[in-house]
Amino acid sequence: MLGPKVLVLTGEGINCERETAFAFEKAGAVPSIQTLNEVIKNPAALREFDILAIPGGFSYGDEIGSGHVFSLKLKKHLGAEIKEFINDKKPIIGICNGFQVLVKLGLFDHSSDRQIGLAPNTSGAFMNKWSRVIPHEKNNCIWVKGLDKAFSLPVRHGEGRVVLKEDQVYSDLVERGQIVLSYESDINGSYKNIAGLCDETGLVFGLMPHPEADLFKATSPEGSENPLDFSVGYEIFKNSVNYSQSIQGKNL
Amino acid sequence: MNNSRIEVTNKFQGHHLLGWTSEVRDVLKFNLERIEESKFYLLETDSKVEESISREVLSDPVLDIFEDKNWVNSKASFAVEVGFKPGVTDNLSKSVIDAFQLFEIESKISTGKIYWLFGKLDRVEAEQVSREILANPLLNSIKVMTTNEYLEKDRFSNSVLPVVKIEGAGEVQAVDLEMSDKELAALSIERCLALTTDELHEIKNFYKKEEVIQARSLAGLPNCPTDVELEVLAQTWSEHCKHKIFAANIEYKESVEPKYGPKLGSFKVDSLFKEYIKDTTEKIKKDRGLEWLISVFSDNAGIVRFDKNVDLCFKAETHNSPSALDPYGGALTGILGVNRDILGCGLGARPIANTDVFCFAPSNLGDHDHGKSLPVGPKPPRRTIEGVHKGVEDGGNKSGVPTVNGAFFFDNNYAGKPLVFCGTVGVMPQVLKDGRTTEGKGQKPGDRIYMVGGAIGADGIHGATFSSLELDENSPATAVQIGDPITQKRVMDFMMEARDRCLFTSVTDNGAGGLSSSVGEMAELPGGATVNLEKAPTKYPGLKPYELFISESQERMTFSVESSSASEFEKLALEYSVEATDIGEFTDSGSLDIFYGSELCAKIDLDFLHNGLPQMNLKSSWDGEIYKRDNWARVELPAAYNGVVNQSQMEEHLKNVLKRPTIASKEEYVRRFDHEVGGATHIKPFGGENGNAPNDSGVIWLGPHGGEMDNAVAIGCGIAPRISLYDTYLMAQFAVDEAFRNIVSSGADPEQVCLLDNFCWPDPIFHKDKNIDGDHKLAQLVRACKGLSDICEAYGSPLVSGKDSMKNDFRGKNGHGEDIKVSVLPTLLISAIGKLNINSSKQTALQKEGDQVFLLGGLGSGLLGSEFLETTQLEETTLPSIDLKKNFELYKNIHQGHIQKVFSSLHDVSEGGMAVSLSESCFGGDLGMSITLPDDSNPLEALFNETPGRFIVSVKKDETKRFKALFKEAILLGEVTSDSTLKIGFQDKKLIDISTESLKETWRTPIC
C-alpha cells in the first residue's frame, strides 16, 4: 500500500523542504515538493493530498515580519482550501517559518482577531542550539502521540518568542489541549517557554524546533555509535503517517 | 500617482539596540540612555491604498503598532531618519511590493528606519552616532533632527521616494588610445580600468592592425576601441579575473639566506600557478593514480568524487575591498557570490555547506584615541566585525545553506582591509537523466543566452577592477552593493529543477565583470556570442551599454538554452518567481558582438580577449625574515617574560592566552549562523553535553543529499599569517597542516583529502615611491607557493581550486590627517575537504572519567609566531618546525584509530598550543583533567608552542593496549577526572589548578 500523500510547500525562500520531504519519505509517506505558485494555479489539487507541510526557511526574507507575506499569499489564494483541508481532518504541520505562517493565519486562535504572535527572541538575534523540549501532558496533538518524556531538538530561529495579547489566552490554550511542547528552560523569552502549539483538533501542529533535522542519530550533537538509528524527530512524522493511514482505513 | 508614508513600530525591540547603546556610552562616552527603532515606508501607488490594506500588509496586530500620522516618540531627544540612497538595494521594499500585489496594487516602495535617541546628547554627538553606528553614509541618507523639529517637518504630507537620475541609455563612445603614457595612465585611473600602460599599448596596437581596422570599418566601428570594448578588456584582463601575478614570469633570488625555511637558490618561474599549483596537482594525480579528481582548475570550482552517487565541488572566495567599505554588504555578497560559483559549476551543483574565515583588526584598536589613529575610509574594526558577521549570517541563513566551519584571526595589520573568505561545498548528481555527466558544460552555437535572477543597476560597476587596486579614502561607492539572498534562493531552487529536467546546456555565474565575464567566458567553447543589451532588465533607466555589460549587480546567472527548451525554461522560471530573459545567442563567429538595439557597440575578437594579455615579467628578492613588526597602531607592548614558573604565573599566562581574540570562544557568533539547515550536519561547530566545546571540523552527512547512507565530508581550514613574519614557505605548510589536522581529527581519511588555496597578499609589485619592498613581498609569495607545493606532494593531497587577491593595502590618511599605509600580513587560507564515514567519527569533548589522556605528535618547541608571544615578550625562542613525513604517517594512523574506535575524543593542537587544546577539551561538560608534563620538558614551551602535527586524545582505559599498538610514541599526559578542574603539574610542582568553569569564563571574554 502506498503511504499518505504529503504536499511539502516551497518557494519564495522556504529552505527546509528537502529534509522535510526526506522525513516523510522515511516515515513511509509519499511527499511531493511544490512551489506555492504552482499550487495556487490549481488550488483544488490540495484535496488530493493527505498531509500538508510548511517547512522552515526565510520566506520573503522574513521582511515585514517572519512568515508575514507568505501567510498573506496563502490566505489570499488558498484560504478556503486550507479550511476545507482542516475540516476534512487532515494533518498540517508548520515548522519554524511554517509555524510563523500558521500563527499569522490565526489557526491557533480561538477568536477571529489574532491573540498569538511570534516576536523576535529576547536576545534579538538568530540562534542555532539544541534545546530540550517537554511534551505537555494535556496536549491533544496527534503529531506527538506516544512522546511523553523530554527530548532534544535543534532550534534555529530569530523570531520564535510566543507572545500572547492577554494572559487569559494561555489558560484557554491549556484548557483546549493546544500547548504541545515547551522548552525545558527559557531560551528565547517565549511565554511559559512555549515551543509548539496545535489547534483544537490536534491535527494542525506548529513548532519552532526542527524535528526534520533529528531523524537519525547521525545528526545528534553528541554523536552516536549507531548513526543510522532513528531519533525522536522521526517519531513525529511517523505519527502523522500512522494517523493518515488509520483515517484512510476508516474511510474504506 | 498616490504618494504616502506609513510608520510602524515593533513592540519587541531588538537586542542590537542595547549593544549600540553601550558602545556609544563606553567608547564614544556620550550620554545616551537608549535607542528605540521604528520603520518607515514611502509608497508610490497606482491607486489610493485603503488604510485597512496598509495595516494588513505592513503590520502584525499582535506585534506591531501601526502609527498615527504625525506621531513622534515624544520623550526622545533626537529622531534619526536613515533611508537608502537612490539605487541601493532595499530588500524590504521588494517584499512589500510583492505583498501589495496580492491586493492588486502596483507600487514603488522605499523603506528606512527611524532611530529615536534618548538621553542628554547634543546634535554633534547625535550626528556622530548616526554616521558611525546607525548608518553607513556610503549607502544611506541620514537626517538628524530633534524630536520637535521632526514633528514640525510634517513628513507625512510630502513623501518623496529616492530616484536614480542618470542619462546615458544607448551612449557609446570611441576611446582613442593615441596618447602619451602619462595620459594613458590617467585614463586608466579615471575610468577605473586598472590596466597598466603596457597593457593599454597592447590594446592600442591590436586595434591598429590592418586586418582589424578593415573588419571594423566593414562593421561600422571606429578604428579604436569603443568604451564597451575597452571596459570588457579591462574586466577580463583585471588582476581579479586573470591572476596576472600568478601567471607572471618571475625571477627569484635570495639576498639573504633564509633562516627558518629551506634555501631555494636563484631561479625563474614561468608561472606560479602553473608550476606550483597546477603541476603539483597533476603530479599527485599521476603518482597516486587518483581517480576521484573529476575536474580541477577548469571550472568555477574543483570537482571530486568521494561518493558512489554524487560528486562534490568546493570553492572559496574573498571579498575584502567591499567588506572594508560596507562590511555587511561586502560579506553578504561574498557568501552569495561563492554560492553562485557552486551553482555555476558544471551543469549546476547545490550548495550544502558554507565556511567563513575572517581576518580582522582587534575590536578595540583605535579606542584609545577615538579612532583617530585608524585609516579614514575603511570602517573601524568593531563595525567591520559586526557587519561582516551579520552579512555572512544573512547570506547563509537566508539561502538555506549551513555555515559549518570557519575561523577568526586577529592582527592589527588587517585594519586597512579585513580579509573575508567565504567558501562553499556543493553536491551534484554524477549523471543527469538524459545521460550527460554533470561536471561538463555543453553550450554550442545557436543556443540562446539567458540572464536569470536580479536586474542590472549601477551598483557593482568596476568591482573587478576596483578590487585590483589598493584602497584609499576616495574608493568608489558604486563598487559596494548589498545582496538579496531571497532572489538568489529562488534562482537556486529554479536552476536545480531546470538542471534535473535537462533544460539547459550550460550555466555560469555572474560575478566579477558581470555579463562581460560570464558571456565572454561561455563564448569560448562555441566560439562566439551575440548579445542584445537593450533586452536586459534594469533596475532603472539610463544605464550606458558598457555599464549594462560590466555591472556586477548580484544574484544573476547566465545560461545557455537550446531554442527547443526555451519556452519550458521560461515557464519554470515563472513558477519560481524568477526573472529569465533571453539576451542573445551563442555563435561561432569568433567574436563577442554586443548590440544595443540595432547599434553594434562592440565586436571583440575572442582570441585577443582571452589570450592577448601580455605576460608580466617580475623580479623578486628574499630580504630575510622580518623581526620588527609593522605594529602601526600598537599602543602598548606585552609584558616581558619574567622567567618565573609558578602556579599563579602559569595560570595567568593561560588566562591571557585564552582571552586572546583569535582564541576566545566564538560561540556567540557561530550560533547566529544556521549550521544545521539541510538536516545533514553530522559534526557541528560546537559539541559536548553543553554544546560549548569547539569542534575541529564541520562534517556534512551525504546520505540526505543523495549520497551513500554512511558517507560524509569533513570540512576544515588552516591559516597561519603570523608565521609569514619569519618565512612564508613555512606559513603555507603550517596552514595546510592545520586544515589537515582539523578534518583528520574528526575522522576524515587523510588519503582522500583535497585542498583549496586562497592567497591574500600585500601588493607584491615593486614601485619606487609607493611600494619599495614589493620585491620582497613577491619573494614571500614565491616561497609560499613552493612550501605549499612541497607539502601537497608530501601529503599526496591535490589542490583543486583557488583564488588570489593581491592588493590588500590601504594607503591614505588617518583621523589626524597623517599619511598611513596598512598592509595585511601575507595570508594563505587553506580549506580542506575529506571523505569521512559517519560510523567512525569523533568530537573534541571529553567523554568519561578515567579515560587516559595522551599527546600525539610530540611536545614540539619554539614560541615564535605563537599567540603566547602576543601576550608576553620573550627574547630567546625559535620557530616551531614541521616534519611532513612524520605528520602524514601520524594522520594515517589516526584514521586507523578512528576505524578501530580506540578514541573517546580528539582535539588538534593549534593556536594557543597544548594548554588551550587541553582547556577546550574540558569545555563540553563537567569533566576535568589531571595532567603531568614530562620531566624533561620546558613547561612554558610545552604548554604554549604551536608546533603542527599534534593532537590531544582521550582513550578508554581498556582500549589503551590497542591504542598503544597504533601510537608507539604517544605521550601519556594523565587522565580525565570528574572534578571539573584542569590540573597541570610538572615534576613535583603544581602549575595550573583552575576550575573549568573559571577557565571557560575567561575564554568567553567577548571579542567585540
Side-chain angles (χ1 to χ4, degrees):
Chain A
M1 179 178 105
L2 276 178
K5 289 168 75 177
V6 186
L7 174 61
V8 180
L9 278 183
T10 189
E12 316 301 345
I14 292 287
N15 64 29
C16 298
E17 71 283 357
R18 293 170 68 244
E19 56 265 40
T20 304
F22 186 66
F24 279 109
E25 191 187 305
K26 290 292 160 195
V30 183
S32 163
I33 300 175
Q34 293 184 18
T35 62
L36 180 54
N37 284 347
E38 191 183 352
V39 177
I40 284 172
K41 274 192 280 181
N42 180 16
L46 195 58
R47 288 191 197 126
E48 291 162 24
F49 290 96
D50 305 303
I51 299 172
L52 171 65
I54 309 177
F58 283 84
S59 57
Y60 293 90
D62 265 5
E63 305 290 1
I64 307 180
S66 51
H68 190 84
V69 185
F70 202 88
S71 79
L72 287 177
K73 193 161 177 175
L74 265 184
K75 192 164 144 193
K76 183 89 184 166
H77 293 285
L78 291 176
E81 287 74 16
I82 287 180
K83 247 185 211 149
E84 186 188 322
F85 202 87
I86 294 170
N87 286 338
D88 289 349
K89 301 215 176 324
K90 291 176 175 178
I92 298 179
I93 189 166
I95 302 166
C96 200
N97 200 216
F99 183 31
Q100 291 159 340
V101 169
L102 297 182
V103 165
K104 295 248 181 191
L105 286 174
L107 293 185
F108 307 107
D109 286 303
H110 205 53
S111 56
S112 58
D113 57 325
R114 292 238 333 268
Q115 303 289 322
I116 306 167
L118 285 166
N121 299 344
T122 35
S123 69
F126 181 95
M127 79 171 146
N128 180 341
K129 201 175 169 74
W130 282 65
S131 301
R132 305 271 301 162
V133 289
I134 313 164
H136 205 272
E137 55 185 37
K138 264 191 67 185
N139 85 77
N140 64 4
C141 181
I142 64 109
W143 292 84
V144 297
K145 206 174 151 193
L147 297 177
D148 46 15
K149 288 192 201 73
F151 54 95
S152 289
L153 285 179
V155 169
R156 315 191 313 246
H157 63 247
E159 298 180 24
R161 171 169 34 151
V162 173
V163 292
L164 306 177
K165 254 189 167 171
E166 291 161 39
D167 291 337
Q168 179 58 37
V169 178
Y170 181 75
S171 26
D172 294 346
L173 287 171
V174 174
E175 185 73 15
R176 291 193 288 267
Q178 285 185 254
I179 313 264
V180 184
L181 296 174
S182 310
Y183 303 111
E184 214 171 56
S185 59
D186 180 11
I187 61 158
N188 59 7
S190 201
Y191 195 96
K192 302 268 187 198
N193 296 339
I194 295 172
L197 296 170
C198 64
D199 73 344
E200 254 184 301
T201 67
L203 291 166
V204 181
F205 181 34
L207 75 169
M208 288 313 298
H210 288 268
E212 81 286 5
D214 179 42
L215 297 180
F216 292 89
K217 295 285 182 198
T219 56
S220 296
E222 68 273 17
S224 166
E225 289 300 310
N226 303 300
L228 292 177
D229 285 358
F230 285 122
S231 191
V232 184
Y234 165 83
E235 305 293 333
I236 291 176
F237 297 94
K238 186 73 191 161
N239 273 330
S240 71
V241 171
N242 290 345
Y243 169 85
S244 280
Q245 279 167 342
S246 72
I247 292 291
Q248 278 171 354
K250 277 180 210 156
N251 288 349
L252 280 176
Chain B
M1 279 299 142
N2 292 273
N3 281 25
S4 55
R5 177 186 176 105
I6 288 162
E7 293 181 1
V8 177
T9 306
N10 193 293
K11 293 180 205 165
F12 304 90
Q13 297 275 312
H15 185 73
H16 60 285
L17 300 173
L18 297 179
W20 287 345
T21 305
S22 48
E23 187 183 331
V24 171
R25 278 194 226 140
D26 301 347
V27 181
L28 297 176
K29 313 277 183 204
F30 297 161
N31 201 343
L32 177 74
E33 263 171 40
R34 67 174 193 283
I35 309 174
E36 289 181 9
E37 181 185 291
S38 303
K39 282 186 208 164
F40 71 84
Y41 299 89
L42 307 177
L43 284 59
E44 189 181 303
T45 49
D46 53 356
S47 58
K48 196 170 181 312
V49 185
E50 298 293 325
E51 196 196 292
S52 61
I53 292 177
S54 305
R55 204 177 264 277
E56 185 168 3
V57 167
L58 297 175
S59 70
D60 180 289
V62 183
L63 308 177
D64 297 315
I65 303 163
F66 189 88
E67 304 287 1
D68 293 333
K69 306 280 173 215
N70 270 9
W71 80 291
V72 285
N73 201 331
S74 57
K75 289 197 175 132
S77 321
F78 285 94
V80 179
E81 190 174 299
V82 177
F84 290 101
K85 283 193 170 167
V88 174
T89 303
D90 175 357
N91 288 323
L92 171 55
S93 77
K94 294 184 194 174
S95 291
V96 175
I97 291 168
D98 286 344
F100 274 120
Q101 273 172 351
L102 295 170
F103 297 86
E104 278 89 40
I105 295 167
E106 290 303 321
S107 62
K108 283 183 186 163
I109 307 285
S110 182
T111 75
K113 285 182 174 156
I114 305 162
Y115 294 103
W116 306 96
L117 309 185
F118 294 77
K120 288 189 180 130
L121 61 179
D122 63 30
R123 190 183 295 266
V124 175
E125 291 170 338
E127 280 170 357
Q128 191 181 343
V129 170
S130 309
R131 213 171 44 236
E132 291 180 8
I133 296 184
L134 303 176
N136 183 345
L138 273 182
L139 311 168
N140 300 121
S141 60
I142 308 169
K143 291 176 198 151
V144 181
M145 277 168 271
T146 64
T147 307
N148 257 337
E149 287 166 353
Y150 202 49
L151 183 65
E152 281 161 18
K153 199 177 116 177
D154 193 14
R155 60 194 189 276
F156 283 86
S157 37
N158 358 271
S159 90
V160 183
L161 274 70
V163 183
V164 177
K165 286 186 191 130
I166 45 171
E167 282 171 20
E171 273 177 31
V172 179
Q173 265 185 335
V175 186
D176 191 350
L177 297 177
E178 288 298 337
M179 48 175 90
S180 69
D181 280 2
K182 207 172 156 191
E183 288 166 324
L184 283 175
L187 174 81
S188 178
I189 291 172
E190 186 199 325
R191 296 199 74 114
C192 199
L193 298 175
L195 290 172
T196 63
T197 45
D198 284 352
E199 288 158 358
L200 284 163
H201 277 295
E202 195 78 19
I203 296 172
K204 182 174 77 182
N205 293 338
F206 177 80
Y207 279 84
K208 279 208 298 212
K209 284 186 188 168
E210 197 51 42
E211 67 271 24
V212 175
I213 293 175
Q214 269 188 14
R216 292 179 66 78
S217 149
L218 274 175
L221 289 164
N223 58 4
C224 61
T226 63
D227 56 357
V228 181
E229 291 168 331
L230 188 60
E231 293 278 358
V232 171
L233 283 161
Q235 300 302 313
T236 310
W237 289 10
S238 66
E239 176 58 46
H240 186 98
C241 295
K242 268 283 188 239
H243 311 286
K244 292 186 264 200
I245 295 169
F246 261 85
N249 191 302
I250 300 175
E251 256 178 61
Y252 172 86
K253 68 170 197 251
E254 287 161 359
S255 319
V256 178
E257 193 167 316
K259 186 171 168 187
Y260 299 102
K263 186 172 173 344
L264 301 178
S266 300
F267 54 89
K268 275 190 180 173
V269 189
D270 183 36
S271 149
L272 289 172
F273 170 68
K274 190 182 162 299
E275 203 155 308
Y276 291 130
I277 299 189
K278 202 168 174 211
D279 288 357
T280 302
T281 293
E282 290 303 328
K283 184 170 187 301
I284 293 166
K285 182 177 179 179
K286 193 162 155 262
D287 290 354
R288 292 190 56 203
L290 295 184
E291 284 173 1
W292 45 264
L293 280 180
I294 303 299
S295 163
V296 289
F297 306 118
S298 60
D299 205 334
N300 291 335
I303 306 176
V304 293
R305 181 160 296 168
F306 288 159
D307 190 274
K308 285 190 185 125
N309 308 326
V310 293
D311 285 347
L312 295 173
C313 43
F314 193 21
K315 173 69 179 249
E317 281 271 12
T318 52
H319 231 212
N320 309 333
S321 301
S323 302
L325 299 178
D326 174 31
Y328 173 75
L332 174 59
T333 49
I335 198 78
L336 295 180
V338 72
N339 281 178
R340 282 198 304 282
D341 273 317
I342 295 302
L343 290 172
C345 183
L347 290 173
R350 177 188 296 281
I352 54 168
N354 285 337
T355 66
D356 60 81
V357 174
F358 312 131
C359 296
F360 292 133
S363 64
N364 58 3
L365 187 70
D367 279 359
H368 64 286
D369 63 357
H370 295 255
K372 280 277 168 70
S373 54
L374 297 175
V376 173
K379 285 279 172 188
R382 200 172 272 112
R383 284 287 83 67
T384 306
I385 297 167
E386 186 184 72
V388 164
H389 176 264
K390 182 72 182 153
V392 171
E393 175 189 326
D394 281 354
N397 294 6
K398 294 191 175 184
S399 301
V401 182
T403 300
V404 298
N405 184 253
F408 289 62
F409 184 87
F410 289 89
D411 192 279
N412 289 359
N413 288 347
Y414 297 107
K417 266 196 195 182
L419 301 183
V420 176
F421 300 89
C422 300
T424 303
V425 179
V427 65
M428 53 165 67
Q430 290 170 1
V431 183
L432 296 181
K433 254 195 325 219
D434 62 0
R436 285 178 300 163
T437 53
T438 318
E439 103 275 356
K441 294 191 191 288
Q443 65 272 35
K444 52 193 184 309
D447 285 356
R448 305 303 305 171
I449 303 172
Y450 272 86
M451 183 181 113
V452 170
I456 302 177
D459 42 346
I461 288 175
H462 288 139
T465 48
F466 158 65
S467 74
S468 308
L469 298 167
E470 66 188 16
L471 275 187
D472 61 34
E473 66 269 33
N474 301 318
S475 297
T478 51
V480 172
Q481 38 185 331
I482 298 174
D484 172 3
I486 294 307
T487 294
Q488 181 155 317
K489 175 72 169 103
R490 290 175 175 131
V491 170
M492 191 193 301
D493 293 349
F494 157 70
M495 75 164 282
M496 289 298 110
E497 185 65 25
R499 176 197 71 190
D500 293 344
R501 293 194 199 175
C502 304
L503 294 179
F504 55 86
T505 54
S506 182
V507 59
T508 198
D509 67 306
N510 279 269
L515 285 173
S516 78
S517 294
S518 67
V519 177
E521 273 170 34
M522 285 174 85
E524 267 197 290
L525 184 62
T530 300
V531 177
N532 301 95
L533 280 178
E534 79 286 356
K535 291 189 182 168
T538 58
K539 296 181 181 176
Y540 32 80
L543 291 160
K544 291 178 185 160
Y546 90 80
E547 294 175 319
L548 290 172
F549 206 46
I550 68 163
S551 162
E552 296 176 8
S553 288
Q554 298 288 304
E555 294 86 39
R556 291 179 300 147
M557 303 291 292
T558 300
F559 290 78
S560 69
V561 178
E562 287 176 350
S563 299
S564 56
S565 308
S567 77
E568 198 184 340
F569 185 82
E570 288 182 17
K571 217 176 105 213
L572 188 68
L574 271 182
E575 193 185 292
Y576 283 87
S577 307
V578 165
E579 192 159 11
T581 315
D582 180 335
I583 59 163
E585 183 175 289
F586 287 107
T587 66
D588 53 8
S589 66
S591 62
L592 188 54
D593 301 340
I594 314 296
F595 288 87
Y596 189 89
S598 59
E599 191 191 351
L600 179 64
C601 40
K603 187 175 180 69
I604 308 169
D605 183 82
L606 277 180
D607 184 52
F608 181 64
L609 178 65
H610 292 298
N611 306 315
L613 175 68
Q615 190 184 30
M616 282 202 289
N617 288 299
L618 301 171
K619 285 194 170 124
S620 72
S621 167
W622 169 259
D623 293 336
E625 56 286 339
I626 296 168
Y627 292 106
K628 201 166 159 296
R629 297 207 44 190
D630 172 21
N631 271 331
W632 59 277
R634 194 161 211 166
V635 198
E636 52 189 85
L637 290 171
Y641 178 56
N642 59 14
V644 178
V645 181
N646 63 23
Q647 189 179 339
S648 71
Q649 192 64 59
M650 290 306 270
E651 288 182 350
E652 196 179 324
H653 283 317
L654 175 56
K655 288 193 166 180
N656 286 342
V657 169
L658 279 173
K659 63 184 176 204
R660 291 277 309 153
T662 299
I663 290 171
S665 178
K666 312 298 182 306
E667 190 180 339
E668 190 203 331
Y669 287 84
V670 172
R671 292 211 178 274
R672 275 150 61 186
F673 300 147
D674 188 328
H675 49 253
E676 296 181 89
V677 57
T681 306
H682 175 62
I683 294 187
K684 305 167 207 304
F686 286 86
E689 257 170 56
N690 56 21
N692 294 153
N695 275 319
D696 286 332
S697 73
V699 179
I700 295 286
W701 177 26
L702 293 174
H705 289 300
E708 295 163 64
M709 269 315 263
D710 57 0
N711 200 11
V713 57
I715 306 162
C717 64
I719 191 166
R722 218 167 272 129
I723 303 300
S724 292
L725 297 169
Y726 308 99
D727 195 338
T728 47
Y729 178 94
L730 292 170
M731 176 278 285
Q733 300 198 333
F734 281 31
V736 171
D737 193 80
E738 185 182 8
F740 246 84
R741 291 199 304 275
N742 282 177
I743 61 173
V744 166
S745 170
S746 297
D749 177 354
E751 294 183 289
Q752 295 197 67
V753 171
C754 70
L755 306 172
L756 303 181
D757 57 280
N758 284 81
F759 289 85
C760 284
W761 231 248
D763 190 354
I765 297 184
F766 173 82
H767 187 284
K768 63 183 181 356
D769 307 316
K770 295 202 300 191
N771 199 24
I772 49 163
D773 57 351
D775 286 359
H776 174 66
K777 290 172 188 158
L778 188 60
Q780 287 182 304
L781 183 65
V782 174
R783 289 188 69 80
C785 288
K786 178 73 172 118
L788 174 62
S789 169
D790 288 350
I791 192 171
C792 286
E793 272 195 46
Y795 289 4
S797 186
L799 295 155
V800 296
S801 185
K803 213 63 201 263
D804 59 271
S805 160
M806 285 293 161
K807 306 268 165 149
N808 292 293
D809 309 273
F810 170 86
R811 178 196 303 281
K813 304 273 185 207
N814 66 12
H816 297 294
E818 298 155 344
D819 288 334
I820 53 165
K821 183 178 176 191
V822 187
S823 297
V824 301
L825 295 173
T827 304
L828 168 63
L829 169 70
I830 293 295
S831 311
I833 56 173
K835 183 177 161 73
L836 177 147
N837 186 302
I838 58 169
N839 290 300
S840 50
S841 62
K842 275 287 173 288
Q843 304 190 35
T844 60
L846 300 176
Q847 295 297 310
K848 206 164 180 297
E849 180 190 356
D851 283 1
Q852 305 282 292
V853 179
F854 293 91
L855 173 65
L856 297 180
L859 277 167
S861 65
L863 288 164
L864 283 183
S866 69
E867 284 292 321
F868 174 79
L869 267 206
E870 295 292 301
T871 66
T872 310
Q873 289 191 77
L874 192 59
E875 290 299 315
E876 282 184 25
T877 183
T878 58
L879 196 69
S881 58
I882 180 165
D883 184 336
L884 303 182
K885 199 159 171 275
K886 190 186 106 190
N887 289 1
F888 195 66
E889 284 307 312
L890 175 64
Y891 301 159
K892 284 195 284 188
N893 267 349
I894 287 179
H895 187 53
Q896 276 309 310
H898 277 295
I899 292 171
Q900 296 179 22
K901 295 182 183 291
V902 299
F903 306 119
S904 291
S905 72
L906 297 88
H907 190 12
D908 82 312
V909 177
S910 291
E911 284 93 352
M914 184 165 94
V916 168
S917 202
L918 289 167
S919 306
E920 287 177 344
S921 303
C922 298
F923 291 159
D926 299 332
L927 298 170
M929 278 194 271
S930 177
I931 300 296
T932 307
L933 297 176
D935 282 349
D936 57 350
S937 62
N938 168 341
L940 193 75
E941 205 166 355
L943 286 172
F944 296 109
N945 87 79
E946 299 176 10
T947 302
R950 300 181 308 136
F951 300 81
I952 296 291
V953 303
S954 69
V955 177
K956 274 193 204 124
K957 260 199 178 133
D958 50 13
E959 295 288 356
T960 47
K961 208 169 153 198
R962 290 201 307 150
F963 171 81
K964 280 183 183 156
L966 276 172
F967 303 99
K968 299 193 175 60
E969 289 171 20
I971 298 171
L972 176 65
L973 291 177
E975 66 172 25
V976 177
T977 57
S978 62
D979 64 354
S980 309
T981 305
L982 178 65
K983 292 194 185 84
I984 301 179
F986 173 61
Q987 294 168 351
D988 53 353
K989 270 186 275 191
K990 208 191 261 183
L991 294 183
I992 284 166
D993 187 349
I994 316 181
S995 79
T996 54
E997 266 317 302
S998 152
L999 281 177
K1000 193 152 85 179
E1001 203 185 307
T1002 307
W1003 178 65
R1004 289 180 137 186
T1005 303
I1007 58 166
C1008 202

